[in-house]
Amino acid sequence: MAAGIGTAQGTSRTFQPMRLWLIAPSWLIIGFFLLIPVLVMLLFSFLTKEFRGGVIWEFSLAAYDQFLFDRGLFGDDPATLEWTYIRIFVRSIVQAAVATLLCLLIGFPTAFFIATRSPDSRSVWLFLVTVPYWVNLLIRTMSMKFLIRDNGPVNELLLALGVIDTPIAMINTDFAVQLGLFYSYLPFMVLPIYAAVERYDFSLSEAAADLYADRWTILFRVLLPVVRPGIIAGCILVFVPSLGAFLAPDLLGGAKNFMIGSLIEEQFKGNAGNWPFGAACAMILLTMVLGALIIYARQHRPAAGN
Amino acid sequence: MPDLNSVRRYPGFNLVTLLCLLILYVPLLVVMVYSFNASQSVTMWGGASLRWYHDVFYGTESAKFKAAAWNSVSIATIAAIVSTCIATAAAIGMNRSGDFKLRSFSFGLVSLPIMVPEIVTAVATLVFFSAIGFILGYNSILVAHIVFCIPFAYLPIAARLEGIEATYEEAAQDLYASHGQLLRYVLLPLLTPGILAGYLLAFIISLDDFIITNFVKGAGVETLPTAIFGSVKSGIKPNIMALSTLMLMVSILLVTLAYFLGRIGARHSKSDKGG
């Protein structure tokens, strides 16, 4: 029975007889209150809408039809492709991608810098980078809004320094949303990259240096391929929540920079009140996210093996 | 290239790190500073004062804030307790019962609330509650919070559990300890730092949540984030900055606590491995 020293994950069996009782509560709670609700949501996306929220229990493809086609005001014109919602999804993907890139550009050097500190100070640096993440997302987004608005501290500082003559309009732009998303999810980029660089064997870089590779060549041709799984993990962890984000686009982007999150919210909490359509949009978002996760899992598995 | 240290140092990386920390902290610091602003306007600096803190506790909106704070704290407390119990059981069940067929399925299920985008969870929970006729209000928020807190409680507990050798339990078993005694006298005491860290993270995550709460709260029931969101929509008022600063301090305090608990835990598991 003894599992011995260096117990591998899942091999100790001290609680084997009680396994079912230990695991069952988590299965029941998450199964009943998340897995089944997602299936109910799928069902709702195929029902008929009731005005001002709710559904009529009648099968209908109207939600998906509304997403893809425009049939005119009375629904009897010939169907043409409807671009409004596709455009919102594409914009969300672009915004999330830019935010991910921003996180990577700032997050990689930061993670590298932290990973090359002395072991004792690393945890302090990591702590400093992660603390803001635990501050309420709404408060963080609001602070960013306060900071970059037209007569906010950033503009006032630049005006006082004479760098600019008129305030830069940053709020309600694509940039504000990207900055907000960056601010929301940056630690998700830093942590996996840090973990990868920390495990990286720097004698590889030293060997390359001995062969007269310059340090940027070493970075891009030696280190980057090795820590790639960490970078991909970071990108996924930032991209996925950015795609469905609600607060950053809503507070920093204004009405012009609608993203998926706002579109869905509007179907349930706002004036649109179209539950099946909201459920359909959420289903499409979930499919995209699961797709990204599956691609990640496929790519990651062979790399994790060695 | 004799300078072997150079492969660990890249010019500019320290500046980027500094920039990174600036971007992370400046917005929070600015809000903290402006929360002490005596002026009625959020733009003009009118000297330092505590008037907006007074306003949070005794002003016209104070009743709303107090009700919201009570809801937030009581929901976070209960949700964190329940989800930590479920997560602890699940972590022991999955790490101490050998390999079994549904192990990766179980892990997938437990981490599902992290993988599904929050807005999707919010929609799914809302339509499910409406389909089964669960009345929206305090209880619906509580149930939703328990669900999404489970993975956040699970991760630190499972990480700690993996660091504890099974030899302690096996020794106790050899001395004819029952499973109850194993839990009470051996595993739970060793696991305490992980459980506390998990509880704190679940508590903060619950306290923080806006999107899901916003969907499943009934009319008239507010938590702090939904109450603040309602006020922020019409422009950032100084009392909101004071309230935000208070919440920010609480979060940072709790995270610092979790960090030091984690350090104690790490030190223990290092000595467990004899190094």
Side-chain angles (χ1 to χ4, degrees):
Chain A
M1 273 291 277
I5 296 167
T7 318
Q9 205 183 347
T11 51
S12 44
R13 329 175 146 261
T14 41
F15 282 88
Q16 193 167 26
M18 298 162 71
R19 180 200 292 152
L20 188 65
W21 295 107
L22 290 167
I23 298 180
S26 62
W27 278 30
L28 287 177
I29 295 279
I30 296 177
F32 190 73
F33 288 108
L34 188 57
L35 208 55
I36 292 177
V38 167
L39 297 177
V40 172
M41 183 178 79
L42 178 65
L43 178 70
F44 265 52
S45 72
F46 288 106
L47 294 178
T48 310
K49 77 165 171 179
E50 174 130 61
F51 288 100
R52 315 200 132 265
V55 284
I56 299 165
W57 288 80
E58 247 170 59
F59 176 81
S60 156
L61 284 170
Y64 293 95
D65 187 80
Q66 180 186 346
F67 188 87
L68 287 173
F69 302 110
D70 179 12
R71 294 178 193 273
L73 193 57
F74 301 104
D76 46 11
D77 292 357
T80 51
L81 207 55
E82 164 76 70
W83 286 103
T84 317
Y85 305 116
I86 298 172
R87 211 172 280 142
I88 290 174
F89 269 66
V90 170
R91 182 189 303 131
S92 303
I93 294 171
V94 171
Q95 292 286 61
V98 174
T100 308
L101 197 67
L102 219 58
C103 282
L104 184 60
L105 284 178
I106 304 267
F108 181 83
T110 306
F112 185 95
F113 177 81
I114 295 173
T116 49
R117 298 298 94 194
S118 74
D120 278 339
S121 56
R122 278 178 212 163
S123 75
V124 178
W125 282 101
L126 278 181
F127 180 66
L128 282 176
V129 171
T130 43
V131 161
Y133 171 72
W134 296 107
V135 172
N136 198 304
L137 181 59
L138 174 59
I139 294 180
R140 275 186 291 155
T141 311
M142 186 197 77
S143 323
M144 192 53 95
K145 180 176 183 166
F146 181 75
L147 192 70
I148 63 172
R149 79 211 140 89
D150 292 349
N151 47 3
V154 166
N155 269 320
E156 277 182 7
L157 182 73
L158 292 177
L159 283 172
L161 290 173
V163 182
I164 49 173
D165 297 326
T166 47
I168 312 170
M170 283 180 282
I171 208 82
N172 296 347
T173 61
D174 281 350
F175 170 72
V177 178
Q178 290 148 9
L179 189 66
L181 292 174
F182 162 83
Y183 193 32
S184 306
Y185 305 117
L186 177 73
F188 291 161
M189 182 66 84
V190 175
L191 292 177
I193 296 181
Y194 162 80
V197 176
E198 203 226 347
R199 264 174 306 175
Y200 172 75
D201 183 358
F202 272 96
S203 55
L204 289 174
S205 293
E206 284 157 13
D210 286 343
L211 297 169
Y212 299 101
D214 72 75
R215 51 162 61 152
W216 296 105
T217 311
I218 295 172
L219 185 70
F220 286 105
R221 310 263 318 256
V222 182
L223 185 128
L224 271 190
V226 177
V227 301
R228 212 182 66 133
I231 295 175
I232 294 173
C235 290
I236 291 269
L237 287 175
V238 173
F239 184 78
V240 164
S242 297
L243 201 56
F246 168 70
L247 283 172
D250 196 69
L251 289 176
L252 299 167
K256 236 177 39 206
N257 297 286
F258 230 55
M259 278 175 62
I260 303 174
S262 312
L263 178 66
I264 295 175
E265 205 252 8
E266 178 140 277
Q267 309 309 319
F268 293 92
K269 309 295 289 184
N271 299 322
N274 187 342
W275 283 30
F277 183 62
C281 290
M283 249 359 265
I284 297 168
L285 172 63
L286 182 62
T287 312
M288 281 162 47
V289 165
L290 290 183
L293 288 175
I294 288 168
I295 292 171
Y296 164 64
R298 283 239 178 102
Q299 290 206 332
H300 199 62
R301 200 167 292 142
N306 47 51
Chain B
M1 301 275 129
D3 181 13
L4 293 179
N5 235 348
S6 73
V7 294
R8 291 165 193 268
R9 304 243 182 287
Y10 280 85
F13 277 23
N14 49 357
L15 290 179
V16 175
T17 308
L18 202 66
L19 176 73
C20 177
L21 290 177
L22 272 179
I23 300 173
L24 287 177
Y25 284 93
V26 164
L28 300 180
L29 288 174
V30 166
V31 162
M32 283 167 91
V33 169
Y34 272 83
S35 72
F36 293 103
N37 189 357
S39 161
Q40 177 80 45
S41 136
V42 285
T43 19
M44 304 286 285
W45 180 253
S49 122
L50 287 173
R51 73 179 273 204
W52 299 114
Y53 288 89
H54 186 269
D55 189 79
V56 166
F57 288 101
Y58 304 105
T60 47
E61 287 183 295
S62 64
K64 184 177 96 181
F65 291 150
K66 276 175 192 161
W70 169 249
N71 286 340
S72 271
V73 172
S74 61
I75 287 172
T77 307
I78 303 171
I81 291 175
V82 176
S83 58
T84 306
C85 291
I86 295 171
T88 307
I92 296 175
M94 279 159 67
N95 277 294
R96 288 294 199 262
S97 63
D99 226 347
F100 55 101
K101 228 189 263 168
L102 291 171
R103 197 160 179 275
S104 51
F105 172 77
S106 288
F107 185 71
L109 203 58
V110 167
S111 40
L112 197 63
I114 293 187
M115 294 193 297
V116 174
E118 251 191 299
I119 190 110
V120 175
T121 307
V123 170
T125 312
L126 174 65
V127 297
F128 177 66
F129 283 169
S130 101
I132 62 170
F134 195 96
I135 295 159
L136 298 184
Y138 187 90
N139 292 329
S140 60
I141 304 177
L142 183 61
V143 170
H145 279 223
I146 290 173
V147 175
F148 71 70
C149 282
I150 291 175
F152 290 95
Y154 176 87
L155 291 175
I157 296 172
R160 172 95 185 106
L161 195 58
E162 276 163 28
I164 302 171
E165 297 281 356
T167 40
Y168 299 106
E169 298 140 59
E170 282 155 11
Q173 260 181 344
D174 288 345
L175 299 168
Y176 299 101
S178 68
H179 277 109
Q181 288 170 319
L182 269 190
L183 264 185
R184 198 177 329 142
Y185 299 113
V186 183
L187 201 52
L188 288 184
L190 285 168
L191 205 51
T192 305
I195 293 174
L196 284 176
Y199 175 83
L200 283 177
L201 293 192
F203 186 84
I204 301 174
I205 288 290
S206 164
L207 217 51
D208 261 17
D209 179 71
F210 168 74
I211 296 177
I212 295 171
T213 312
N214 189 36
F215 268 70
V216 302
K217 80 187 173 73
V221 182
E222 303 279 352
T223 62
L224 279 174
T226 62
I228 290 180
F229 185 75
S231 303
V232 168
K233 269 297 203 181
S234 50
I236 305 168
K237 280 170 274 177
N239 62 344
I240 292 296
M241 288 203 251
L243 181 60
S244 301
T245 305
L246 291 171
M247 290 171 65
L248 199 152
M249 299 302 245
V250 170
S251 299
I252 291 180
L253 205 73
L254 291 179
V255 168
T256 313
L257 207 62
Y259 170 74
F260 283 109
L261 282 171
R263 276 184 89 126
I264 295 168
R267 210 172 300 148
H268 271 281
S269 55
K270 248 184 226 166
S271 59
D272 287 347
K273 283 169 188 157

